[in-house]
Amino acid sequence: MSDALPAPAAAPLDAASRAAAPLDASRAAAGAPSAPAVSVLGLGRMGSALAGAFLSAGRTTTVWNRTPDKADALVGRGAVRAASVADAVRGSAVVVVCVRDDEAVHELLDPVAPELAGRTLLNLTSGSPEQARENAAWAAGHGCAYVDGAVMTTPPGVGDPRSMILCSGSAAAFAEHRATIAALGDPVDLGEDAGLASLHDAGLLGLMWSVFAGWLHATALVGADGVPARAFTPLAIRWLAGVGGFMDTYAPQIDAGSYPGDDATVDIQLAAVQHLLEASRDRGVDTRLPELHRDLMTRTVASGHGRDSYGRVIEQFRAGA
């Protein structure tokens, strides 16, 4: 994401930008359905990818960045270069902000807050659920609809319909601009609590890192006996599909708070993790990850729940042990 901050005004719109500005009018004259124009504030790697996806979808796209020349490639593709944040906001019904952090968002938008009235703000800057809720209240105070979002991919994946765009906040704004957000990926509506996109983003990233860590540990383990990562990884991917099935089994147990041990119980899995620990130790592979698994299961068994399903281990996380 860009570290865009307020800066001296850029040069006035250049010829390419002026040529791009009448796109909506020409579409309307041709009888094409009108699509809301979009402004993108912040042109780091992610912001540039967002603006590029809107352009690829045929949207009139205005762009602004603290360093104006970061917009050059996008202007060459037909984007409108805004001379200021205020000009960018005035130029579109949907204002997308993707900058360094929440502080940078407010450094950009606080001075132009009156210009946001009647528009939709789509905030794709990484932040906390609490910040998202505060931003929703701030936007409402300025007559602006607010949607908080999380782009669940890296910049090269923006625009791929398989990439999730988590959204939470104004239901009316999401419904009105769903097609606009769909230019970036698959819009996933998480509800009107503006904090839910950030909350899900944090949880899903934690899941990703846990999967990566498990795969890297396993790859190091088998690699110690000469198995190449490229040979092991297809088996790992196939196994993850099966793991997904176990997650579907445990999810309703977690919601119900009941963990029938009708598959592999915690005490059985505790015995199995010891083999992983020994194999890791014998090969000089770091044992901290399997030790974490062992400790979580040991505490579950010690609490009297060794015959429950593995889903019971969630109580160790809830306890903050």
Side-chain angles (χ1 to χ4, degrees), residues 5-211:
L5 295 171
L13 300 187
D14 56 24
S17 299
R18 289 195 299 272
L23 283 177
D24 278 348
S26 63
R27 288 194 186 100
S34 177
V38 181
S39 290
V40 178
L41 306 179
L43 298 177
R45 291 190 64 213
M46 182 60 79
S48 295
L50 299 173
F54 287 130
L55 288 170
S56 294
R59 296 297 176 121
T60 302
T61 305
T62 298
V63 294
W64 178 91
N65 193 70
R66 175 176 57 88
T67 307
D69 60 10
K70 280 195 174 182
D72 289 350
L74 293 163
V75 169
R77 292 179 56 190
V80 179
R81 191 199 315 264
S84 66
V85 174
D87 285 347
V89 170
R90 282 192 291 265
S92 302
V94 181
V95 178
V96 179
V97 59
C98 181
V99 289
R100 181 184 65 246
D101 54 26
D102 190 66
E103 182 180 356
V105 170
H106 284 281
E107 288 176 347
L108 292 179
L109 296 181
D110 284 355
V112 301
E115 302 287 351
L116 290 167
R119 307 180 196 280
T120 293
L121 175 61
L122 174 60
N123 184 9
L124 297 177
T125 302
S126 295
S128 70
E130 289 70 28
Q131 288 170 334
R133 290 165 183 145
E134 291 169 1
N135 288 335
W138 176 88
H142 293 286
C144 174
Y146 183 84
V147 176
D148 203 78
V151 181
M152 303 307 296
T153 186
T154 56
V158 172
D160 188 326
R162 296 170 296 180
S163 299
M164 293 190 297
I165 311 297
L166 306 182
C167 297
S168 58
S170 169
F174 178 82
E176 181 180 1
H177 299 298
R178 189 187 189 286
T180 296
I181 301 170
L184 308 177
D186 178 24
V188 179
D189 182 13
L190 296 173
E192 294 197 76
D193 177 350
L196 288 179
S198 292
L199 187 64
H200 280 70
D201 179 37
L204 290 172
L205 287 176
L207 174 62
M208 177 189 74
W209 293 321
S210 296
V211 170

